[in-house]
Amino acid sequence: MDLWTKTLAGIIAQVFLLLCSSFGTTGEEVCDSALVSNLPPSSFRSSSHLSSSHAPGFAKLNRRDGAGGWSPLTSDRYQWLEVDLGERTKITAVATQGRYGSSDWLTSYLLMFSDTGHNWKQYRQEDSIGSFPGNSNADSVVQYKLQQPAVARFLRLIPLDWNPSGRIGLRLETYGCPYTSDVVSLDGSSSSSLVYRLNPGSKRSPRDVVSLKFKTLRNSGSLLHAEGDGGLSLSLELERGKLQLLLRRGSSSEPRRLASLGSLLDDQHWHHLAVERRSSHLNLTVDKHTERVQIPAEFSHWEIRQLSVGAVQSLDSQKQVVSKGNFHGCLENLLYNGLNLIQLVKHKDHQVKVKGNVTFSCAEPVSVAVTFPGPQSFLQLPGASASSSSGGVSVGFQFRTWNKAGLLLTFGLPQEGGVVWLYLSEARLRLQIHKAGRALLELTAGSALNDGQWHSVELNSRRGRLSITVDKEEGGGTQASPSFPVAIQSQLFFGGCPAEDEGQECRNPFNVFQGCMRLLTLDNQDVDLIMVQQKDLGTFSNLQIDMCGIIDRCSPSRCEHGGHCSQSWIAFHCNCSDSGYSGATCHSSVYEQSCEAYKHNGNTSGHFYIDVDGSGPIRPQLVYCNMTEENTWMVIQHNNTEATRLRPSSLGNQHSVHFDYATEEEQLSVAISQSEHCEQELSYQCRRSRLLNTPEGSPFSWWLGGPGAGRVQTYWGGAQPGSQQCACGLQGDCVDPQHYCNCDADRMEWTEDSGLLTHKESLPVRSLVLGDIQRPGSEAAYRVGPLRCHGDKNFWNAAFFDKETSYLHFPTFHGELSADISFLFKTTASSGVFLENLGIKDFIRIELSSSTQVVFSFDVGNGPLEVHVESSVPLDDNRWHRVRAERNVKEASLRLDELPAATQEAPADGHFHLQLNSQLFIGGTASRQKGFRGCIRSLQLNGVTLDLEERARITPGVRPGCPGHCSSYGSFCQNRGRCVERVNGFHCDCGLSAYTGVFCNTEVSASFKSDTSVSYTFKEPYELSRNSSALPSSIYSDTTLRGENVSLSFRTNQSPAVLFYVSSYYREHLALLINKHDKLEVRYKLDGGRDAEVLRSRARSLADGQLHTVTIRRLSDSVSLQVDQNPREDFNLTSDGEFNAVKSLVLGKVHASDDLDPDLARLGSLGFTGCLSVVSFNSISPLKAALLHPDTSPVIITGPLARSNCGSSASANPYAAENTHHLSDRSGSVGSGQPLVNAIRTDSALIGGLIAVVIFVVVTGLAVTARFLYRRKETYRNQEVKGVNQDDSPDFPFNNQADPQNASSENPKEYFI
């Protein structure tokens, strides 16, 4: 029975202990106990109090003691209330209340924390917000839960604003729980450290974790050093206030830096450090910021044998490891894999050894700093004690700042009007002595003093020597021997001058100083800044005493994509040069996401950077965009696209080749996935070299393709995946029907297996393994072409919203710090919401507020902000318009089409986390009001495209896709090119244009020799064979013209010369020629019985080898002629104005016939030597027909005719220049968004690039001119050519109708040039 009783008692005791343990754990997790209510009055201090009944001891929440709370003597921003919690405590919340029964309460305040009652640290929300919301009356309690708990002994509350009808009044409470820790202090001596040696036989952990807290006043020193076998070690060292992760191979080797994290870590505040080592990487955490660091492969099996803290201690005691010095400061809660090393030291564990002077408390030196936040900040001190009897000066101080300029110190000289200025300029220290409007002395010392580090300054004047010293330990300084004494007249002013200095004792022609100062000395005596704070010494304005409020806004950097961060005291700036990104934080890509997008910006073929994920993490890549075909192809090269011949090899049975692409893996994968179609040519030419060994047996050869290293593929180009066939096997036409590849026939004759690989999941080809090349007589050649893709699934992803109440919804948009949104829209409605996402208080919205205005509005906790762009043209014109909105921690911006961006700066000290929680609504709102009616396309949020079409297929009131692109992009089709709609986009039909190319803007030119002739026959006399003796007019009535539109360009040195000749069956003709005086003549013979009428242009010197453009328009008897940019010349014919029975048009040499006039026959027989380009006769393009469609057009070509680029404004072929670019060359200008025309780093390429730039400028000018002439031609034709019969013949193409390119567009606009 006794045994049973004992057992039961033991069980009860264990259960009780378990419950107690659970209760204690729960209490720790909650951590919300009241901390102030039970404190004695002695725990409270304040800057002042109105009376004894308003003393700080009465400032307890919900108490009515005394006057019902604390009130200072005066209500200003220099007052404070301080609470001593007795020991370091974890603080999780703060609550405030006004003074009982009064009109005194705070509306906002600052919170400060400290371990010692000095060196206060301001608590900030989201690393930015400094102020906390207060009360709206005297009785209600406002509690604020700290986002990150604070650990401190002292709390100080500083009023910022209060009830304007009352004064400062406060009762408060703080909440939290006890905080326990193990602390050790190291004095920085050569041997002061802790060394932990692991047991040799201990089991290796899959990961190692070291965590601790540290605080220090020194900006350098070794914190942690972990060493393993082979001398491999990792170290964490402070350098200039940043933590450096260093790798060492042996004790004597120079360390290699792997990462740098943190900043201003020498501020004598606690900082959290954690290092987690996994096999291939480290997770390094400083305070709240974590960085993943890749470590060399040799560390994957590395085991820590010794961990030294505070100094670098080698495993071999005989070896010294070079480091930046030892750590001087305090450490707290030093844990290694959960083991508390400080406790092990206290318990004298044999694994941990203490070296040097180590104490188990944190001895902190008192260093009082003062912050000058600006712009009215100054500190005034009496200078009498600083001037010795000899009239000398001795002033010293330390400062730290981010600003390049600012006044540090000024004082007047005893001489009338003399003044000394010590100031920063361009981050250098300058001393200037001024008197009577001129500088008596100037000295300069130091450099780069705006780096945020503490810099010491000493100013001394003794015995006729004046010196300034910067950072004495580094030996920086300068001196002079002025001819006048330098002494302080009465007062010294630090940082700036009073706003109203009636006596003009302080003058500041420079910027005010913004930064921190400490260790001020006058005449080698320390200045007591606490006395200054208590107003017992000097005067000041807008200072924060006993703290340094410097913030590093570049750590961590808010600049994305490699942008360089720089900062001043109040703001940071991102330099996005050469990053490929733009915006205040380098967030938005300056490049398009595909070749398809570049085409729809009006670009032509060339090398472009594309950014496949926009503002996402993937870097831009250089590709070639081929826009000469109906599809726009993206071409990605690799290192071996040429045919490579193989011969029998004795080195092995297989030949393996790997292909390296010009883009990185992630870029390649995304580019393939977002393309509509991809292909890659795979070719194998063989003689006695088998390929796939089909249909039986294992393949001799295979290739690897797809993501990463690729997967083995056993089919060949033109066949299906997994078929183990070639193209001929699929088509059934192999040379040997027994095999599925031509090469598998194993014949002595050369044969080939080639085709396109089109299965995107198997692309690109990564490597190729060829196995049957070792036999005697075996020969082969392989070729793997570049990867080619066309289409952009994201660019055309669209949805049509046909009701105001219809919308699409998606998951919540997460853009807490950076958010960019881009899309295209078209509508006939004058207003509607494009996008909306809501939070509890925050929101983001983009809407069409009127037919000419787009508004981007949001709220991140600072109140609603709006950015709007006004358009000069209506936006409800059913054309595509592009919207790009971005919001980051610095600003919000909105761009509409190509209008200038509108921006709105974010508050300097405000909230910046966008916190949303509702669904994302597209095309409408949660309230189903103010919805958008129209199309939204290519919607991207932070570089991620939302699939509108997929969601629209299952959503009532919304339809996938959105046709009708020619209304927006039809203007790209130039020179009478016709825009043709496609499901995804458009293309230009150049059938009625004398030009060719993707936008019908590429000239069609040819070089002519003297015997070259191109004859275009309009219509054969179909009744001539029946009645050769009569040519009645009825036969040719359908080819009678009452007007012509003729245009061409030419380049020649020949005169005279016939450029253009049109004949008829009635001995009538039209001729264009250069006469012997180098002038242009137009000869019209519209009456077979009369002589030709000659129209001579006033333009001179046309046979000068330069390119000239001629336009001729005739309507009945009125003729207009224009040469180049010369004024139009008008003529009148005396004939009846009808050109009857047009027969043929001849370019070049005109062969003799009975119909020709003798003089014209003589000139025509000379032929034409030179260049003709873009020849157009009404809707006929004879030169284009001869060059591009000679087999299907009614043309006869005699003599040599070669297509040339001679019709361009320069003789260099831009396409030939393009083809010399290589994707491996990256010398183009980043950020231009234009084709790169100089991608080869050679001198000849540089010259070629310069020539190409000149070509581009001249071509642009010529294009503008041509378009101007073309518009003049259209105006003239539309106004005058109305009497021409447009229905003469359905087979005859002379219809003289207006340019049909934009049949669907009422108001075509020019966007391209």
Side-chain angles (χ1 to χ4, degrees), residues 213-233:
K213 283 186 175 183
F214 69 92
K215 65 158 55 175
T216 181
L217 271 174
R218 292 192 182 177
N219 66 357
S220 63
S222 178
L223 200 55
L224 283 174
H225 179 75
E227 189 172 347
D229 293 322
L232 285 177
S233 65

Side-chain angles (χ1 to χ4, degrees), residues 847-1020:
E847 63 182 307
L848 181 67
S849 62
S850 71
S851 61
T852 58
Q853 188 180 73
V854 175
V855 177
F856 172 37
S857 55
F858 61 93
D859 187 351
V860 294
N862 304 311
L865 287 177
E866 284 190 357
V867 188
H868 55 82
V869 175
E870 190 81 26
S871 171
S872 59
V873 298
L875 301 174
D876 53 357
D877 57 358
N878 206 30
R879 293 171 179 250
W880 287 114
H881 298 279
R882 188 176 185 183
V883 174
R884 284 164 288 183
E886 181 185 345
R887 180 260 152 194
N888 52 58
V889 296
K890 279 187 70 71
E891 67 178 23
S893 64
L894 178 65
R895 291 195 65 178
L896 174 64
D897 294 331
E898 298 307 315
L899 295 173
T903 59
Q904 176 86 33
E905 285 193 12
D909 192 23
H911 296 276
F912 53 75
H913 278 89
L914 177 65
Q915 298 175 342
L916 306 174
N917 55 20
S918 76
Q919 290 182 319
L920 169 66
F921 290 87
I922 306 298
T925 64
S927 63
R928 292 191 161 219
Q929 296 178 350
K930 297 175 62 179
F932 171 73
R933 287 188 296 112
C935 291
I936 296 178
R937 173 165 70 86
S938 189
L939 174 60
Q940 295 183 333
L941 281 73
N942 280 348
V944 178
T945 301
L946 299 188
D947 195 342
L948 301 178
E949 294 185 355
E950 180 187 39
R951 193 60 62 95
R953 291 187 183 98
I954 58 174
T955 305
V958 187
R959 298 201 300 269
C962 197
H965 306 298
C966 280
S967 60
S968 300
Y969 301 116
S971 58
F972 288 157
C973 301
Q974 303 172 62
N975 304 307
R976 300 182 68 190
R978 183 173 63 89
C979 182
V980 179
E981 290 283 354
R982 298 171 64 183
V983 175
N984 286 344
F986 75 100
H987 78 273
C988 296
D989 181 357
C990 305
L992 299 177
S993 174
Y995 291 74
T996 186
V998 64
F999 298 130
C1000 308
N1001 60 350
T1002 303
E1003 77 284 338
V1004 179
S1005 310
S1007 296
F1008 281 70
K1009 303 296 184 183
S1010 59
D1011 56 344
T1012 303
S1013 175
V1014 175
S1015 176
Y1016 186 100
T1017 304
F1018 291 112
K1019 190 166 186 179
E1020 293 291 342

Side-chain angles (χ1 to χ4, degrees), residues 1216-1236:
E1218 277 181 355
N1219 291 336
T1220 63
H1221 301 168
H1222 299 284
L1223 294 180
S1224 59
D1225 297 303
R1226 302 296 178 101
S1227 60
S1229 172
V1230 176
S1232 64
Q1234 298 296 324
L1236 301 181

Side-chain angles (χ1 to χ4, degrees), residues 323-532:
S323 71
K324 294 289 181 182
N326 294 343
F327 175 77
H328 184 192
C330 302
L331 302 175
E332 177 182 77
N333 293 343
L334 173 60
L335 304 178
Y336 171 70
N337 289 344
L339 230 88
N340 191 323
L341 299 188
I342 297 177
Q343 279 195 1
L344 292 181
V345 172
K346 290 179 178 179
H347 295 139
K348 298 183 179 180
D349 190 284
H350 70 280
Q351 285 186 267
V352 185
K353 292 185 179 180
V354 176
K355 296 186 177 182
N357 187 15
V358 176
T359 57
F360 296 102
S361 63
C362 188
E364 300 186 49
V366 175
S367 175
V368 179
V370 58
T371 303
F372 295 76
Q376 285 85 36
S377 301
F378 75 91
L379 170 61
Q380 178 180 345
L381 295 176
S385 62
S387 298
S388 65
S389 58
S390 62
V393 174
S394 177
V395 181
F397 59 91
Q398 292 185 1
F399 75 91
R400 71 191 315 175
T401 184
W402 300 117
N403 290 0
K404 290 183 177 181
L407 179 68
L408 294 171
L409 170 66
T410 181
F411 56 87
L413 296 176
Q415 296 89 348
E416 185 65 30
V419 63
V420 175
W421 288 309
L422 187 65
Y423 62 98
L424 287 175
S425 176
E426 294 300 317
R428 305 193 71 190
L429 185 67
R430 299 182 188 272
L431 175 77
Q432 188 177 118
I433 300 179
H434 223 257
K435 183 178 181 182
R438 65 188 185 91
L440 301 180
L441 178 67
E442 291 190 31
L443 296 176
T444 301
S447 62
L449 300 177
N450 65 328
D451 57 1
Q453 302 296 312
W454 284 109
H455 297 283
S456 63
V457 177
E458 291 182 10
L459 170 63
N460 289 291
S461 176
R462 289 285 188 276
R463 301 181 183 88
R465 302 287 293 177
L466 177 66
S467 66
I468 54 172
T469 306
V470 180
D471 297 332
K472 189 174 183 179
E473 306 83 19
E474 299 175 13
T478 185
Q479 59 184 2
S481 301
S483 59
F484 48 87
V486 177
I488 299 172
Q489 184 176 14
S490 60
Q491 302 287 331
L492 294 98
F493 296 88
F494 291 88
C497 292
E500 298 178 0
D501 187 3
E502 297 178 357
Q504 290 294 306
E505 195 173 352
C506 181
R507 289 179 291 129
N508 180 17
F510 312 103
N511 295 330
V512 297
F513 173 71
Q514 290 177 298
C516 300
M517 291 188 186
R518 70 179 183 186
L519 303 180
L520 275 68
T521 62
L522 298 180
D523 201 16
N524 297 320
Q525 298 295 315
D526 294 338
V527 175
D528 189 342
L529 291 175
I530 299 300
M531 289 182 63
V532 174

Side-chain angles (χ1 to χ4, degrees), residues 814-870:
H814 295 288
E816 285 78 5
L817 297 177
S818 292
D820 76 278
I821 303 168
S822 66
F823 59 91
L824 293 100
F825 76 90
K826 68 174 182 175
T827 183
T828 56
S830 60
S831 64
V833 176
F834 299 120
L835 172 149
E836 182 182 82
N837 207 162
L838 305 177
I840 298 175
K841 292 182 179 179
D842 298 0
F843 72 88
I844 190 168
R845 182 185 301 114
I846 304 177
E847 63 182 307
L848 181 67
S849 62
S850 71
S851 61
T852 58
Q853 188 180 73
V854 175
V855 177
F856 172 37
S857 55
F858 61 93
D859 187 351
V860 294
N862 304 311
L865 287 177
E866 284 190 357
V867 188
H868 55 82
V869 175
E870 190 81 26

Side-chain angles (χ1 to χ4, degrees), residues 14 24 29 691 721 922 1036 1154 1195:
Q14 289 182 18
E29 289 178 353
L691 187 58
I922 306 298
Y1036 305 109
D1154 296 337
V1195 292

